[in-house]
Amino acid sequence: MKKTFIIIAAVFAALACLSFTIKAYHDPETVILGSWKEVHWEYDRVSHSAHIDRAISSDAREVKEMSATDLGIIDAESWVFNPDGSLILSSHHIKKQASWKIKGRGNILMITYDNNRVERYNIARLTKGKLELNFDTDANIRGIAKVSCVKI
């Protein structure tokens, strides 16, 4: 009887440890920590217009600027997610600080700036080495933009 109890307790403890290990391994708030470098922007348009089609075929940077001129991440080439919830967005000429949280079922990244402006992004993919965020663009372009980052 005592032996059975010890075996059951040991199995339960092992399963609990395994469960916590798996959760920590896949926890988006842990995986996202660190420095990320933007490597690619992609744009899927919902509606077509000649003006937008010309811009999309001409210059990816122009599309990036057109699709999200009021987003904080637009000028960021490097993102640093800190454990205290702070986020540093930087490029050659700018550096912004914000705070970040992961909401929902781990699929929404919420970024809050000092002026209380909040941006929400859908986390399409988050692994130890790759981060892909999707977001709806403004009404002028009407589409979904995707930014891809790799861990540095």
Side-chain angles (χ1 to χ4, degrees):
M1 178 81 162
K2 187 175 184 182
K3 205 179 212 182
T4 306
F5 177 73
I6 291 173
I7 292 172
I8 291 172
V11 168
F12 179 72
L15 288 174
C17 288
L18 181 63
S19 172
F20 288 123
T21 303
I22 290 172
K23 183 182 181 331
Y25 179 74
H26 294 291
D27 181 19
E29 291 183 342
T30 303
V31 177
I32 202 168
L33 293 177
S35 299
W36 297 84
K37 179 183 177 190
E38 176 186 305
V39 292
H40 182 68
W41 272 77
E42 187 176 317
Y43 176 73
D44 294 326
R45 58 190 177 276
V46 174
S47 63
H48 297 275
S49 89
H51 171 69
I52 300 304
D53 287 342
R54 254 191 326 277
I56 288 171
S57 62
S58 65
D59 183 14
R61 179 71 184 172
E62 184 179 338
V63 173
K64 180 179 170 182
E65 290 171 358
M66 285 175 58
S67 66
T69 54
D70 60 339
L71 297 176
I73 67 166
I74 198 67
D75 291 320
E77 295 171 3
S78 171
W79 308 9
V80 180
F81 292 89
N82 295 310
D84 65 355
S86 64
L87 171 64
I88 299 170
L89 302 166
S90 59
S91 70
H92 299 292
H93 59 282
I94 65 150
K95 190 171 191 175
K96 293 181 185 178
Q97 183 141 1
S99 62
W100 67 273
K101 289 182 189 176
I102 294 185
K103 297 287 200 172
R105 298 175 308 253
N107 62 332
I108 299 171
L109 173 64
M110 204 167 82
I111 298 176
T112 307
Y113 295 90
D114 291 337
N115 61 1
N116 291 325
R117 185 171 52 108
V118 177
E119 298 172 358
R120 288 174 182 82
Y121 303 93
N122 293 322
I123 299 174
R125 183 175 182 190
L126 177 59
T127 64
K128 285 185 175 183
K130 188 162 190 167
L131 170 64
E132 290 180 358
L133 299 175
N134 293 339
F135 57 94
D136 294 325
T137 58
D138 67 10
N140 294 331
I141 295 180
R142 295 176 52 184
I144 297 172
K146 176 172 83 173
V147 61
S148 298
C149 300
V150 293
K151 201 149 202 180
I152 51 176

